[in-house]
Amino acid sequence: MKVLLINLPVPDFYHGFQKGNHQIFAGYMRAIMEKRKSGDVVIGGLDRHAIDNYNDNALVECIMEQSPDVVGFSSYLWNVERNSEISRQLRKNGIITVTGGPEINRDNVSLLDGGAFDIFVQGEGESVLPDVLEDIAAKKHKKYYAGEACDFNKFISGYSGATDDTAFDRMAYIEIERGCPFKCSFCAYDKTRKSSTVIDMDAFKNAVDGCFSRDIDELYLLAPTLNSNRKRFESYLEYIAGKRSETGKNVRLFGELRPELIAGGDIGLMKEAGFDCIEFGVQSMNLEYKKNLAKYDLSGFAKNLLAHGITPIIDFIVGFPGETKDDVIRTIDYMSDNAILDYCNFYHLQVLHNTGIRKVFIEKGYSFQDCPPYLMLENDVMDIGDIKDIYMYLEDRKDFSYREDYLVLDENRFHVIRNNDDFNSLSETPFYHSASFVLVDNFDFDVIVRFYDGFFGGNPEIFHQVYLYSRQGFEMNDLEALSGMMTTHGNYYDRYREGINYFNDEIFSKTIHVLSGPDSDEKMIGQLMDNYDFGFAVLPGERNSFADRIQKLRRYFLDDEINTFVFRECDDMEFEFIKRFPVYFGG
Ligand code: SF4
């Protein structure tokens, strides 16, 4: 039986490439099946480049090419919709689909009853997937399976020795601990485990040795709280610090820590072991966590880390019941006054399945999105408008922005649209991120709107930038029709960013940029600049006219953030995008 196991990445809007989406579960399962000598089951996967970069339709094609019997998906908030869509298409082709992961919970009724998957596995999948596969082979599988707590020591060495994900992004992962003794009300981490499983020290040393024998830059130690036991924490760090000095390799180390459990002396050892940043969740300065926070001086701790060359990343959550907008603003001001705001993250509360906070929201009648990422929309003291005000406060008053520019430079993903054939070729793009530069004057605008409506409708998960270029000018009605249509094609990322999106007429996953030539009417340029992300485009043959007008245009570059897109002629007398300048420097 041929089984493909797939974990789709976090939608990463602003990084040019994905990192860290290691297919750990697939690796574990391969090690488990090898140990069981289940030769009739082959655990495969897709190429990492495809997993990280392809859109849903392209992934379905890649999967079908391998003719698997079973496809398994790890379902997280950020990928469960994509998994569901891909699974539906596979099932139509007779493939049995299985899903597990944090999204699989008894209370996630819409997923369980949604008809997207054949089989659901709740809990730790490694303990039960071999049985599920046996049942499938015997044609007696059920719809629902429950995994139990399992000891990853039984398969971690098999995984560490075999994974080739490290070659893809020069990162390595070692699972250190499974199970969390803390009971944070907002966290969906499995709370049914009676105790934690900890990596055997010998297995840990073997895995670290294996990582240092490869070409890696980063090592991630996976544990809900890496420093839950100080003695063990120190042993891990001492071994890694020794390995770094023995091999001379400057491998950076990451892990999730609780700051109040870090003793002063640990910070030097952490630096020696390769930590150059640590992320920790404070969540709220105003609610129950404040009691813990009072035990130490957060700003002093952050500054101590900085003095050791370790960057703190301090996470807060905005949207807890009982914490008002003014409370959060006070926290922001406190961080800013102590010069550590730059190291803070403010996450919009997610009301996850199977959590204490979800029960509170339901009992009290507070509201939240009914699909991932389940953002809080209203509680007893705040609503979504207040959340937007907080993000606006960060952006306007503290120069702290979550809005990211995203630029496609890869020529395979940047489509110049001159005619209908070019639209056809764009519609076949396999990529999850892409962009198009449309020569608007070659089309009726209705054709453009209809194409993108169909393109986004067939690929709602994608990120796409549309650059509209016209020498003749734009009708504002046309642009409004296009942008209005685009807001109907938001995806997970747009819901995830709802709190930072202050405008109703834009989404982040699909964006419009309006470009004109240097000779365009100034009144029109002003109008476009007021309403759209505006820039200039310099096509082959226009460089001289642009240079002639540079003095006149210079004020736009000085007053506004105007981008200039420069194209060059190719061999076949067509042109291709070569560069975006934040301003135009002439020449
Ligand atoms: S947030 Fe971290 S410490 Fe709290 S329950 Fe979840 S995993 Fe444990």
Side-chain angles (χ1 to χ4, degrees):
M1 185 189 329
K2 188 164 187 183
V3 182
L4 297 188
L5 297 177
I6 296 166
N7 183 19
L8 293 183
V10 178
D12 199 341
F13 187 74
Y14 41 88
H15 294 145
F17 56 95
Q18 273 289 340
K19 268 182 94 172
N21 182 32
H22 284 208
Q23 306 294 296
I24 298 175
F25 182 71
Y28 281 173
M29 283 308 302
R30 232 168 265 135
I32 290 169
M33 298 315 268
E34 206 148 284
K35 246 183 161 176
R36 284 168 70 126
K37 307 249 180 286
S38 310
D40 47 342
V41 174
V42 179
I43 305 283
L46 295 180
D47 171 67
R48 261 292 292 281
H49 174 74
I51 293 178
D52 289 356
N53 293 288
Y54 281 6
N55 61 36
D56 293 357
N57 292 328
L59 286 169
V60 170
E61 266 183 44
C62 291
I63 293 169
M64 294 303 297
E65 274 167 19
Q66 293 204 34
S67 310
D69 302 291
V70 179
V71 177
F73 298 88
S74 297
S75 286
Y76 294 87
L77 290 172
W78 57 83
N79 63 17
V80 64
E81 286 177 8
R82 295 190 64 196
N83 291 345
S84 301
E85 180 49 38
I86 293 170
S87 172
R88 280 198 180 92
Q89 295 191 45
L90 297 178
R91 291 183 70 207
K92 283 185 202 150
N93 288 284
I95 294 170
I96 295 179
T97 63
V98 186
T99 187
E103 273 298 284
I104 314 308
N105 274 291
R106 288 274 186 195
D107 69 345
N108 195 349
V109 179
S110 59
L111 180 66
L112 265 44
D113 293 343
F117 300 93
D118 293 292
I119 298 169
F120 296 89
V121 174
Q122 183 174 4
E124 296 179 31
E126 300 96 337
S127 67
V128 72
L129 192 60
D131 300 336
V132 176
L133 297 177
E134 267 178 27
D135 286 356
I136 292 173
K139 299 196 184 329
K140 55 170 198 177
H141 58 269
K142 300 178 287 183
K143 183 176 174 193
Y144 199 86
Y145 290 81
E148 290 169 0
C150 66
D151 180 358
F152 59 81
N153 283 296
K154 292 182 183 149
F155 44 81
I156 195 151
S157 300
Y159 160 75
S160 303
T163 177
D164 56 5
D165 271 323
T166 47
F168 191 82
D169 49 19
R170 300 176 66 88
M171 287 184 77
Y173 288 83
I174 304 176
E175 185 163 3
I176 298 293
E177 197 165 322
R178 205 182 274 197
C180 181
F182 304 105
K183 306 283 175 216
C184 306
S185 66
F186 55 87
C187 173
Y189 196 90
D190 181 16
K191 312 229 177 39
T192 56
R193 259 181 173 266
K194 299 213 168 34
S195 61
S196 298
T197 302
V198 176
I199 191 168
D200 293 338
M201 208 53 199
D202 284 345
F204 171 75
K205 288 178 180 171
N206 277 339
V208 171
D209 292 353
C211 292
F212 273 81
S213 69
R214 295 162 185 246
D215 274 336
I216 59 161
D217 303 320
E218 296 171 22
L219 172 57
Y220 206 119
L221 301 184
L222 288 169
T225 305
L226 187 56
N227 60 336
S228 62
N229 177 309
R230 185 166 173 219
K231 210 157 171 277
R232 275 203 308 268
F233 178 57
E234 285 177 355
S235 313
Y236 301 142
L237 297 192
E238 276 161 9
Y239 190 76
I240 292 170
K243 208 73 208 166
R244 275 165 57 94
S245 105
E246 179 191 319
T247 59
K249 287 192 173 175
N250 187 21
V251 173
R252 288 192 303 279
L253 188 62
F254 291 98
E256 293 182 25
L257 304 158
R258 279 181 83 117
E260 76 275 24
L261 304 178
I262 294 175
D266 290 341
I267 296 179
L269 180 58
M270 285 166 58
K271 184 68 190 168
E272 251 180 81
F275 273 104
D276 62 5
C277 81
I278 70 162
E279 181 166 2
F280 51 91
V282 171
Q283 323 308 3
S284 164
M285 297 277 279
N286 303 291
L287 302 173
E288 79 263 34
Y289 202 89
K290 196 177 174 188
K291 294 182 202 107
N292 287 333
L293 201 68
K295 289 182 197 156
Y296 66 91
D297 162 20
L298 179 64
S299 112
F301 176 67
K303 285 174 184 163
N304 195 6
L305 288 174
L306 285 166
H308 281 83
I310 299 176
T311 305
I313 301 172
I314 310 165
D315 296 334
F316 291 95
I317 294 179
V318 179
F320 283 121
E323 188 170 45
T324 64
K325 178 166 100 178
D326 288 346
D327 289 337
V328 179
I329 299 281
R330 259 198 310 281
T331 299
I332 293 169
D333 289 342
Y334 172 83
M335 294 295 151
S336 171
D337 293 346
N338 283 281
I340 49 175
L341 184 64
D342 283 350
Y343 306 105
C344 296
N345 270 322
F346 295 88
Y347 291 106
H348 189 160
L349 176 67
Q350 297 171 295
V351 185
L352 304 176
H353 283 287
N354 208 13
T355 57
I357 201 97
R358 194 177 181 101
K359 280 195 195 100
V360 171
F361 265 68
I362 291 170
E363 272 165 30
K364 305 267 186 190
Y366 305 152
S367 64
F368 52 94
Q369 293 168 338
D370 58 4
C371 47
Y374 312 113
L375 293 183
M376 158 275 178
L377 298 175
E378 185 166 20
N379 64 24
D380 53 339
V381 290
M382 264 209 267
D383 64 15
I384 185 73
D386 296 313
I387 299 271
K388 286 177 191 274
D389 287 349
I390 289 168
Y391 285 112
M392 182 69 105
Y393 181 80
L394 277 165
E395 179 149 341
D396 264 11
R397 305 279 292 276
K398 304 291 179 187
D399 202 19
F400 183 105
S401 182
Y402 283 96
R403 296 167 72 93
E404 295 288 343
D405 195 7
Y406 151 60
L407 178 65
V408 171
L409 287 171
D410 175 358
E411 60 185 41
N412 294 316
R413 305 174 195 220
F414 192 96
H415 294 250
V416 178
I417 309 291
R418 292 146 294 202
N419 51 42
N420 285 331
D421 286 347
D422 293 331
F423 271 140
N424 290 339
S425 123
L426 170 60
S427 66
E428 284 163 17
T429 179
F431 292 110
Y432 184 46
H433 289 130
S434 54
S436 46
F437 177 87
V438 187
L439 291 165
V440 170
D441 300 339
N442 294 1
F443 297 93
D444 276 345
F445 209 87
D446 285 355
V447 172
I448 296 173
V449 176
R450 271 202 306 278
F451 168 77
Y452 282 104
D453 198 16
F455 180 50
F456 297 146
N459 302 272
E461 78 285 3
I462 63 166
F463 291 83
H464 190 84
Q465 288 176 306
V466 183
Y467 295 97
L468 300 169
Y469 171 78
S470 170
R471 295 196 65 164
Q472 290 167 12
F474 291 94
E475 292 291 334
M476 285 305 186
N477 288 347
D478 287 342
L479 294 176
E480 276 164 30
L482 183 64
S483 58
M485 176 276 290
M486 280 164 72
T487 57
T488 66
H489 293 294
N491 60 24
Y492 166 86
Y493 187 83
D494 296 297
R495 293 196 301 277
Y496 177 65
R497 286 307 194 194
E498 186 167 347
I500 68 160
N501 192 352
Y502 327 119
F503 311 109
N504 293 328
D505 58 353
E506 71 168 358
I507 56 174
F508 294 135
S509 63
K510 285 102 188 157
T511 54
I512 295 181
H513 307 261
V514 183
L515 306 176
S516 85
D519 301 322
S520 303
D521 174 68
E522 283 190 31
K523 193 166 156 228
M524 186 195 76
I525 291 179
Q527 229 181 345
L528 294 173
M529 283 173 65
D530 286 346
N531 292 287
Y532 293 93
D533 183 287
F534 173 77
F536 289 106
V538 184
L539 269 48
E542 286 186 341
R543 286 173 83 88
N544 286 343
S545 69
F546 202 86
D548 288 347
R549 299 206 54 193
I550 194 72
Q551 286 309 334
K552 204 160 184 192
L553 296 174
R554 192 176 289 275
R555 66 194 159 89
Y556 294 121
F557 302 136
L558 295 180
D559 293 348
D560 298 279
E561 284 184 21
I562 295 294
N563 292 305
T564 304
F565 295 79
V566 180
F567 294 79
R568 72 168 164 227
E569 234 160 77
C570 314
D571 294 346
D572 56 0
M573 303 300 288
E574 300 294 354
F575 57 89
E576 67 181 3
F577 170 65
I578 49 171
K579 196 162 175 57
R580 178 187 72 165
F581 295 95
V583 293
Y584 184 78
F585 294 104

